[in-house]
Amino acid sequence: APARQQPPDWGPALPGAGHGSLLCSNRTKAVFTLAFSTVIGAASALPGGLGAAEASIVGMLILLLNTSQETAAATLLIRFATLWFGVVLGLLTWLFSRDLLGMKPEADAKR
């Protein structure tokens, strides 16, 4: 397996931006990746940013992590947690509480 490349040390260019600082932490990279992909998805004007958000997540993670195996799993996990969980929850709510939308069954409407 090829050796994993280390990210560049931005310490001289940005004070406090060495490898151990907050600017280069994995949490910061994850927040930036999610925020950036959300903006790209919104700019694409597609419903839920489908396709554009996933492509930007994959691109950013490959740039930041240099691994493609973890990138695919992370992209699926991020999109399930941020988009599809809400869709499934909304569909379940709609299915089990149709009276909220005025969609009562006809048997109840005759009473």
Side-chain angles (χ1 to χ4, degrees):
R4 187 169 177 179
Q5 295 177 341
Q6 292 294 324
D9 185 8
W10 296 102
L14 297 170
H19 289 296
S21 74
L22 182 64
L23 289 176
C24 289
S25 71
N26 286 337
R27 183 175 297 155
T28 303
K29 291 175 184 178
V31 169
F32 177 75
T33 300
L34 181 60
F36 181 78
S37 65
T38 300
V39 170
I40 296 297
S44 71
L46 294 169
L50 290 177
E54 287 85 356
S56 64
I57 291 171
V58 168
M60 289 298 299
L61 289 178
I62 287 177
L63 283 173
L64 295 173
L65 300 177
N66 293 326
T67 59
S68 59
Q69 296 171 347
E70 294 169 351
T71 297
T75 301
L76 291 174
L77 183 64
I78 289 170
R79 288 305 276 175
F80 177 75
T82 59
L83 176 68
W84 295 112
F85 178 73
V87 170
V88 169
L89 189 63
L91 287 173
L92 287 173
T93 302
W94 177 75
L95 181 67
F96 290 113
S97 60
R98 293 183 177 215
D99 57 330
L100 291 175
L101 299 173
M103 301 174 67
K104 294 182 180 181
E106 288 189 30
D108 291 341
K110 291 181 181 179
R111 291 183 197 178

